[in-house]
Amino acid sequence: MAIYTEEIILIKDLKDGRKEAYEFLFKKYYSALCHYANKYLKNDHTSEDVVSQLFCTLYLRRDEIVVGSLAPYL
């Protein structure tokens, strides 16, 4: 798995559809996003579904990504 030390490169690779970038992003943020979603949804399975849908949508709309930082965007 690729390790991204510069977010600008990660964003570029996400926009280019690179599998390694999505794997990195998923492993870095999935758990924290599920935890955050569960604060509001109060259901583990629903939270996981919402976060999974987020990552699917991110992939499908990758050419529309215009951000400086991914954490607030997610």
Side-chain angles (χ1 to χ4, degrees):
M1 180 179 85
I3 296 175
Y4 289 88
T5 56
E6 293 186 41
E7 197 165 52
I8 194 162
I9 295 170
L10 175 59
I11 293 169
K12 179 195 174 302
D13 284 357
L14 288 170
K15 291 179 86 163
D16 290 344
R18 296 201 48 171
K19 179 183 173 186
E20 299 85 11
Y22 282 91
E23 287 177 356
F24 180 84
L25 191 70
F26 185 86
K27 289 180 181 180
K28 182 173 181 176
Y29 289 107
Y30 180 80
S31 180
L33 287 170
C34 286
H35 180 71
Y36 182 78
N38 200 41
K39 285 182 182 181
Y40 296 96
L41 301 173
K42 308 290 187 214
N43 183 293
D44 290 337
H45 296 293
T46 303
S47 297
E48 290 172 3
D49 287 345
V50 167
V51 174
S52 294
Q53 185 62 44
L54 166 75
F55 279 100
C56 288
T57 301
L58 181 66
Y59 178 78
L60 293 173
R61 301 178 86 180
R62 65 189 176 272
D63 56 334
E64 299 173 25
I65 298 173
V66 180
V67 297
S69 181
L70 287 167
Y73 178 74
L74 295 173

